[in-house]
Amino acid sequence: MSWKTALYDYLNARNSAETEASAGALAEIIHNDRFNEESDIRLARVHENRRHRGVKALRGETRLKLHQAREQSEQVVADLDYVRRFTYELGGREYNECIVSAERITFVETGRRWRITGIEIRESERERIREMYSWVPEDGIYTPAGEISSSQPYLNYSILNQVGTYPGYRKKIYDRNRAVKYADLWWDRYNPAFAELEVDCTSYVSQCLFAGGAPMNYTGKRTSGWWYAGQQGSRELWSYSWAVAQALQLYIPASRKGLRGTIVSSAAELRPGDCISYDWDGDGRFQHNTFVTALDAAGMPLVNAHTVSSKHRYWDYKDSHAWTDRTRYAFVRIADEMDE
């Protein structure tokens, strides 16, 4: 038996576990108590969520994309993408949900068998908030703690002019269909017209909003407005609100120019083209953003996202490794008309 056989067994067990929302098959394959316990809790939550929604599982399809494997005499560490498609029925309609998870799996040879002793989820919806991203809104400016808000603008008009020709720029009417088409086109890859960020859930949402015609508010200062002007060497020419979850969540309801929206009380009030922000710890710091791309038969949002690439995923994210029982949401309704 080779470690690749153990990997194939894991693929089958993981597919069964995610499709059936039961961790039983995984416990027989993975020799890691902590991972198995966490999987038990997460999949029990998913099972209850599906039961509550009335979801009928139809089938699950999975594949692995192996990036690299570091092989030693009795150990192999493999980095891969786990690509899952889940098909289900709700209200007489069929839905397809897709998620791509980056994982690092450790195999150890014992006797003549290879065993999986560790699985690390390498990408998370839990954005790493640095000290500089402690946001305090004052007079419409979102200033990171410790940074002087009157910093000089980062201006590069040649780059700004290039971005200005991008489809949808400076449109006053928000085209939700166009925004959704963009979200579905780029859900599992990067648009080369924008910088590729390590954690890019918010940049992806900003791109979707921009594609729908939300006008940029180009202040040239990272701490105000909502804008993107490319990259010049190591200099990042975009506002914090473009790329940081907490900043965008604070910016949209306070904005009076360009992109703007309102906070509504429930997910049921959202439509395709709107956004959801996620505060996993319930401490007021939002660490993830998603983009609403469809509604299910019950009128509830299905969302797309980056970092952990997701398409038409149920909005509450109770299947996420980042979710906790303290999770709080901000439901953001984007304005249909915006002033430039």
Side-chain angles (χ1 to χ4, degrees):
M1 174 181 175
S2 71
W3 68 267
K4 289 185 179 179
T5 301
L7 178 59
Y8 179 78
D9 290 342
Y10 165 69
L11 173 64
N12 287 334
R14 180 74 181 272
N15 182 55
S16 296
E18 297 289 349
T19 303
E20 299 168 8
S22 172
L26 285 176
E28 300 175 6
I29 299 296
I30 300 171
H31 300 270
N32 183 296
D33 291 341
R34 179 177 178 182
F35 182 85
N36 287 333
E37 182 179 353
E38 290 175 352
S39 295
D40 250 340
I41 295 171
R42 182 178 65 84
L43 290 173
R45 189 169 67 230
V46 172
H47 177 80
E48 176 59 24
N49 199 28
R50 290 180 188 173
R51 187 197 65 77
H52 178 74
R53 291 176 62 201
V55 165
K56 178 183 178 182
L58 297 179
R59 60 189 174 274
E61 302 171 12
T62 62
R63 58 185 175 86
L64 298 178
K65 180 180 179 182
L66 183 63
H67 293 291
Q68 65 173 344
R70 296 177 292 282
E71 300 187 42
Q72 300 176 358
S73 59
E74 296 180 349
Q75 177 176 293
V76 174
V77 178
D79 291 338
L80 53 87
D81 284 343
Y82 174 85
V83 185
R84 176 171 66 87
R85 180 188 295 271
F86 174 56
T87 303
Y88 63 93
E89 182 183 311
L90 178 65
R93 294 162 54 186
E94 190 170 298
Y95 298 85
N96 289 295
E97 173 185 281
C98 302
I99 299 175
V100 182
S101 174
E103 301 181 357
R104 174 169 290 163
I105 303 181
T106 301
F107 303 84
V108 173
E109 187 178 23
T110 56
R112 294 184 178 182
R113 295 184 61 84
W114 286 88
R115 305 169 65 187
I116 295 177
T117 59
I119 296 182
E120 175 189 351
I121 307 301
R122 301 187 64 204
E123 293 178 333
S124 171
E125 288 94 2
R126 182 180 288 273
E127 182 178 278
R128 295 184 295 276
I129 299 179
R130 305 164 189 161
E131 184 179 354
M132 64 180 296
Y133 293 155
S134 298
W135 295 92
V136 181
E138 294 181 359
D139 301 324
I141 298 176
Y142 302 89
T143 308
E147 181 170 320
I148 301 174
S149 62
S150 59
S151 59
Q152 292 298 312
Y154 300 127
L155 298 176
N156 186 319
Y157 289 107
S158 64
I159 295 178
L160 178 63
N161 290 336
Q162 293 172 18
V163 173
T165 63
Y166 192 81
Y169 182 66
R170 297 178 65 84
K171 288 180 66 176
K172 293 183 180 180
I173 303 299
Y174 182 49
D175 189 333
R176 294 176 178 273
N177 290 332
R178 189 172 186 174
V180 168
K181 287 180 180 178
Y182 182 96
D184 283 345
L185 177 63
W186 297 102
W187 77 273
D188 62 343
R189 55 194 175 125
Y190 293 96
N191 183 344
F194 297 92
E196 183 176 326
L197 307 182
E198 181 181 357
V199 178
D200 75 326
C201 64
T202 302
S203 175
Y204 168 74
V205 169
S206 288
Q207 291 172 41
C208 296
L209 294 166
F210 183 54
M216 289 189 192
N217 177 9
Y218 182 76
T219 65
K221 293 184 178 181
R222 305 203 73 186
T223 56
S224 65
W226 177 72
W227 57 274
Y228 177 93
Q231 192 164 3
Q232 189 176 52
S234 61
R235 177 178 288 182
E236 299 175 345
L237 301 174
W238 54 80
S239 65
Y240 290 129
S241 58
W242 181 274
V244 179
Q246 177 79 351
L248 181 63
Q249 194 281 324
L250 287 172
Y251 177 80
I252 293 176
S255 172
R256 296 296 178 266
K257 180 180 180 181
L259 171 66
R260 62 183 179 85
T262 56
I263 303 296
V264 296
S265 60
S266 71
E269 298 178 62
L270 299 180
R271 294 186 293 157
D274 291 330
C275 308
I276 303 176
S277 298
Y278 300 74
D279 169 10
W280 303 119
D281 304 306
D283 61 1
R285 293 188 175 207
F286 289 87
Q287 298 159 280
H288 186 55
N289 284 310
T290 66
F291 191 76
V292 179
T293 50
L295 301 178
D296 70 11
M300 300 304 289
L302 304 177
V303 300
N304 287 20
H306 264 204
T307 304
V308 174
S309 296
S310 305
K311 181 180 180 182
H312 295 192
R313 189 172 176 179
Y314 192 64
W315 70 269
D316 67 8
Y317 263 57
K318 288 188 176 180
D319 60 345
S320 171
H321 294 273
W323 194 91
T324 73
D325 57 9
R326 300 181 302 278
T327 296
R328 298 292 180 269
Y329 309 93
F331 306 111
V332 185
R333 182 71 178 267
I334 302 301
D336 291 311
E337 295 185 5
M338 306 179 198
D339 297 326
E340 296 183 82

